[in-house]
């Protein structure tokens, strides 16, 4: 499974990318450089690639999952509840394609990422 590094000036996260059409489109677009936004316990940013909504797209995701939100389009990192979550599970604003998962999910480090901060995604293996 390919691995990527997502980094800001003060934080770095590694993730595995699934063998899906969205995962392949994201890998083909690397490196991606953008500006981070936050929405509850979600980091999202301009994806830098396009993908169609896949048949298995969902709004309810798991902690640590990476997803593509076609409405922006955005690369999303979920690590806790969002403003539309009824409980503690992450919920996207609308259906997303899950295409990967963080290898370690540390909410405190993820919460240190701020709106407007530069963010980069690159292939590591």
């Amino acid at each position: 499974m390919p691995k990527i590094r997502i980094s800001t000036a003060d934080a770095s996260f590694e993730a595995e990318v699934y063998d899906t059409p969205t995962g392949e489109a994201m890998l083909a677009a690397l490196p991606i450089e953008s500006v981070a936004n936050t929405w509850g316990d979600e980091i999202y940013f301009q994806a830098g690639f396009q993908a169609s909504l896949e048949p298995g797209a969902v709004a309810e995701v798991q902690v640590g999952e990476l997803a593509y939100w076609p409405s922006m389009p955005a690369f999303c990192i979920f690590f806790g509840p969002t403003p539309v979550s009824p409980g503690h599970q992450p919920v996207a604003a609308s259906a997303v394609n899950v295409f990967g998962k963080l290898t370690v999910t540390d909410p405190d480090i993820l919460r240190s990422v701020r709106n407007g901060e530069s963010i980069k995604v690159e292939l590591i293996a």
Side-chain angles (χ1 to χ4, degrees), residues 8-99:
T8 65
D10 299 320
S12 181
F13 322 100
E14 292 185 7
E16 296 178 336
V17 178
Y18 303 150
D19 184 14
T20 66
T22 301
E24 291 173 14
M26 188 278 304
L27 289 169
L30 295 178
I32 297 168
E33 294 187 42
S34 194
V35 176
N37 297 286
T38 59
W39 190 57
D41 283 349
E42 174 191 354
I43 299 165
Y44 70 96
F45 49 92
Q46 286 288 334
F49 64 95
Q50 297 280 333
S52 298
L53 202 58
E54 296 176 13
V58 295
E60 292 183 18
V61 296
Q62 300 298 311
V63 169
E65 285 187 323
L66 308 180
Y68 172 80
W69 185 47
S71 296
M72 184 177 214
F75 183 121
C76 308
I77 306 165
F78 294 94
F79 58 96
T82 66
V84 295
S85 296
H88 297 291
Q89 280 301 114
V91 176
S94 60
V96 295
N97 297 336
V98 174
F99 67 86

Side-chain angles (χ1 to χ4, degrees), residues 1-17 26-27 29-34 43 45 47 66 75 77 99-104 109-110 113 118-125:
M1 215 175 302
K3 293 190 179 185
I4 57 172
R5 178 177 297 114
I6 304 160
S7 54
T8 65
D10 299 320
S12 181
F13 322 100
E14 292 185 7
E16 296 178 336
V17 178
M26 188 278 304
L27 289 169
L30 295 178
I32 297 168
E33 294 187 42
S34 194
I43 299 165
F45 49 92
L66 308 180
F75 183 121
I77 306 165
F99 67 86
K101 186 166 179 85
L102 294 172
T103 54
V104 175
I109 294 174
L110 288 155
V113 176
S118 293
I119 194 163
K120 183 175 184 176
V121 183
E122 57 194 335
L123 185 66
I124 55 172

